[in-house]
Amino acid sequence: MTIYADYQRDRIGWFFGLSGGQLMFLALASLPAFWAISRGAWSSAFLFALVWLFVLAITVIPVRGRSATGSVFAWTMYAVGGLLGWTSFRAKATEGRAEDLDTPDLPGVLQGIKIHDGPPHGSQLQRVGVIHDDATKTWAVTASIVHPGIAMLDTEERSRYSEALAGLLDVAGRTEKIDEILFMVRTVPEDGAERDLWVNKHRRDNAPQLSEVVNSDLAVGLTQASVRTEQFVTIVVPETRIARSAKESGGGFEGRCRELYLLMAEIEAQLRGPMGMTSVRWLTSPELALASRTGFAPGDRAGIVEALAMREKDPSVNADVPWALAGPSGADATVRHYSHDAWNSISATIKLPTRGVAMGALAPILTPSQSGERRSFVVAFPIVSQSKADRQSGNAEWAADLAEGMNEKLGRKTRAKQRDEAHKARGLDAKLAHGNALVRPYAVCTVTVPKTLRITEFGRRLDASIRRAGFAPLRLDLAQDVGFAASTIPVGMSLTRSGDA
């Protein structure tokens, strides 16, 4: 079994687990109490000490993955957004205001994206859909991929695939342009649309009635128990990293597309080669719109498949999904779940266990617990630039040495967990020197069910699946809409990117 445990916290606290900024803030907050003690004002000193303890609590104690101050700020912004109507979304088409069908009309963090048709690409002269996010100033492209899986592979082959993934991230880091690579998997409930079309096309009028009954019963049973897996990979490139080279390639949108196509070729070579992908197909704008629509409404897929089959016979049939209709007709972001059209979704991130992660451990998370349930997750690999990685490595090594030195002087025993973190911090510099890329991987898991079912129950089932896989779940309270967009809609949304990279 291949176990990966070479990860650590971004920052190692060098004084009893506190970072330098936290220690400085607490030291300044304690000055009024010491000033009152020096003046002999004991009542004032006692009051200042109580205030300092309160400041200590809100600085150190985390609340659902956030600091206390961050949690209070998030709740305040959510309340303000609810009062101003920012947490609710209604599509323009529902109000008769959809003018340009090629302009995306999406909720929340997806409002800033624009989809462009790139120049003809490849032997089939396909126009790849280029995703431009005005809010974060990034460019992205998405590919639909097919992989045979690793469930039946032995330890040696799994190790080879893990090394191939590391090689892919190193190649992306050496380009000095790719900011993040996202792998998304969606297990969609099987609707039987393709099978129904095939049966209707090949049905014989003189077929035995018993055979038709048996096949119909089998189709119903197998459809309810089956799922369809969709896999996507997205590469994200910030404008700040591509602007200069795009200018040398002709400038403007076409220059940026040429640079993106070069990056696509490098990534595709790694995907098809070492990583063993049997199919890598870069999506066009209509295909991205279809993936977005089925992400918000999984039940719409059957109708779209039928329309595509009808268009093969009658070219006048419009089977495309315009971007103005690719989003939900309505969406509401609540505290614990996300409501969109006739569906509810719950998203949770996962905490990496200290003992390490086995390759393929995320598989139980994708297993639906009931018919009609859709599971999806995204594994994101944000790539840190080389200069920033060297700086962080040096700071982490310095903090580890300082923490150990202070523990020895204070007579405080260094715990095993702290020793492991210090060892990893010291080994990071050697790996960076050997040309490895520094990444900050994270994953977001989402369950989607119809509104006729209780979403809270399926949220607990998702948490149970995450624990069964060996991880600890963390519900993305107050950020359910962002978690859903990042883990279900393959347009390059991220939980860590807030502006220019």
Side-chain angles (χ1 to χ4, degrees):
M1 181 179 296
T2 303
I3 301 295
Y4 174 74
D6 197 10
Y7 48 80
Q8 63 182 46
R9 293 183 298 172
D10 282 346
R11 297 178 179 87
I12 298 178
W14 50 271
F15 184 80
F16 293 98
L18 299 177
S19 65
Q22 290 176 327
L23 183 62
M24 182 67 67
F25 178 71
L26 293 176
L28 293 176
S30 66
L31 293 180
F34 286 110
W35 176 82
I37 291 174
S38 66
R39 300 294 297 269
W42 301 108
S43 58
S44 298
F46 178 74
L47 293 176
F48 283 130
L50 292 179
V51 172
W52 184 83
L53 291 176
F54 174 75
V55 172
L56 175 66
I58 65 176
T59 303
V60 176
I61 300 176
V63 179
R64 294 188 178 274
R66 301 184 179 97
S67 64
T69 51
S71 182
V72 171
F73 178 78
W75 277 99
T76 302
M77 294 302 297
Y78 178 80
V80 172
L83 292 175
L84 298 178
W86 295 343
T87 57
S88 297
F89 168 81
R90 295 297 176 267
K92 296 179 180 179
T94 62
E95 302 174 354
R97 297 187 295 110
E99 299 177 356
D100 186 6
L101 294 180
D102 294 331
T103 301
D105 185 16
L106 302 174
V109 294
L110 299 173
Q111 290 183 351
I113 69 170
K114 297 178 181 177
I115 311 298
H116 307 279
D117 290 324
H121 170 69
S123 58
Q124 298 180 353
L125 300 180
Q126 189 179 38
R127 301 177 70 90
V128 177
V130 179
I131 307 163
H132 182 209
D133 193 340
D134 284 335
T136 58
K137 301 296 187 296
T138 57
W139 301 85
V141 286
T142 298
S144 174
I145 57 178
V146 177
H147 192 274
I150 62 173
M152 304 300 293
L153 300 182
D154 55 20
T155 303
E156 183 178 353
E157 291 179 329
R158 292 194 179 198
S159 299
R160 181 170 58 84
Y161 277 129
S162 63
E163 293 174 358
L165 176 59
L168 171 68
L169 298 177
D170 292 340
V171 169
R174 285 193 290 269
T175 63
E176 297 183 353
K177 295 176 183 177
I178 298 178
D179 175 61
E180 191 169 8
I181 297 181
L182 302 100
F183 291 92
M184 180 182 297
V185 182
R186 304 193 308 201
T187 53
V188 185
E190 178 60 60
D191 48 32
E194 285 87 351
R195 187 184 187 281
D196 291 341
L197 291 173
W198 188 90
V199 169
N200 293 333
K201 183 178 180 180
H202 296 83
R203 176 177 278 119
R204 296 181 180 180
D205 296 334
N206 58 349
Q209 184 177 4
L210 180 60
S211 298
E212 291 191 355
V213 172
V214 171
N215 278 279
S216 299
D217 293 341
L218 284 175
V220 173
L222 293 176
T223 299
Q224 293 178 352
S226 302
V227 294
R228 178 183 297 273
T229 302
E230 299 174 340
Q231 304 170 56
F232 304 94
V233 60
T234 303
I235 59 175
V236 182
V237 181
E239 169 67 20
T240 52
R241 298 188 185 182
I242 202 177
R244 179 177 299 179
S245 57
K247 186 176 181 180
E248 297 174 355
S249 298
F253 173 70
E254 292 190 358
R256 286 160 176 78
C257 288
R258 293 190 183 98
E259 294 298 319
L260 287 175
Y261 286 174
L262 293 175
L263 297 175
M264 288 161 49
E266 292 189 52
I267 298 301
E268 183 174 348
Q270 292 293 318
L271 293 174
R272 290 183 179 273
M275 293 199 67
M277 301 291 177
T278 58
S279 174
V280 179
R281 182 170 55 85
W282 299 97
L283 300 183
T284 63
S285 179
E287 292 171 338
L288 276 173
L290 174 59
S292 174
R293 182 56 194 162
T294 54
F296 282 104
D300 288 4
R301 181 183 176 278
I304 296 173
V305 170
E306 184 178 358
L308 291 172
M310 295 174 60
R311 187 170 63 179
E312 294 180 357
K313 300 179 180 179
D314 184 2
S316 63
V317 175
N318 184 7
D320 294 333
V321 178
W323 271 107
L325 307 177
S329 58
D332 297 285
T334 62
V335 176
R336 301 282 287 174
H337 72 275
Y338 184 55
S339 175
H340 47 97
D341 284 347
W343 307 80
N344 286 326
S345 296
I346 283 182
S347 300
T349 186
I350 62 176
K351 297 181 180 179
L352 295 173
T354 306
R355 64 178 181 272
V357 179
M359 190 166 186
L362 291 174
I365 301 176
L366 286 175
T367 305
S369 60
Q370 184 174 321
S371 176
E373 176 186 3
R374 199 264 306 276
R375 295 283 184 94
S376 62
F377 73 73
V378 62
V379 180
F381 297 94
I383 301 173
V384 183
S385 63
Q386 187 65 34
S387 59
K388 190 175 181 180
D390 292 336
R391 185 169 60 252
Q392 289 185 358
S393 173
N395 292 339
E397 191 172 0
W398 175 81
D401 295 338
L402 184 60
E404 286 189 354
M406 294 188 68
N407 286 338
E408 291 178 0
K409 290 184 178 180
L410 295 174
R412 183 172 180 264
K413 183 179 179 180
T414 303
R415 306 297 298 272
K417 184 178 180 180
Q418 295 173 334
R419 288 197 300 269
D420 290 341
E421 291 180 351
H423 177 72
K424 292 177 182 178
R426 295 187 179 98
L428 179 61
D429 183 61
K431 294 180 180 180
L432 292 176
H434 293 160
N436 298 116
L438 178 63
V439 297
R440 293 172 172 165
Y442 66 90
V444 181
C445 313
T446 300
V447 57
T448 301
V449 296
K451 287 186 176 179
T452 54
L453 302 176
R454 293 187 60 184
I455 185 60
T456 54
E457 177 184 352
F458 286 89
R460 290 192 294 268
R461 293 183 182 182
L462 176 64
D463 293 343
S465 298
I466 295 174
R467 294 189 186 96
R468 188 168 62 251
F471 304 92
L474 178 61
R475 189 76 61 87
L476 292 174
D477 291 345
L478 304 176
Q480 289 291 323
D481 55 338
V482 182
F484 172 84
S487 61
T488 309
I489 312 301
V491 292
M493 286 295 108
S494 173
L495 298 184
T496 59
R497 196 184 317 113
S498 58
D500 292 356

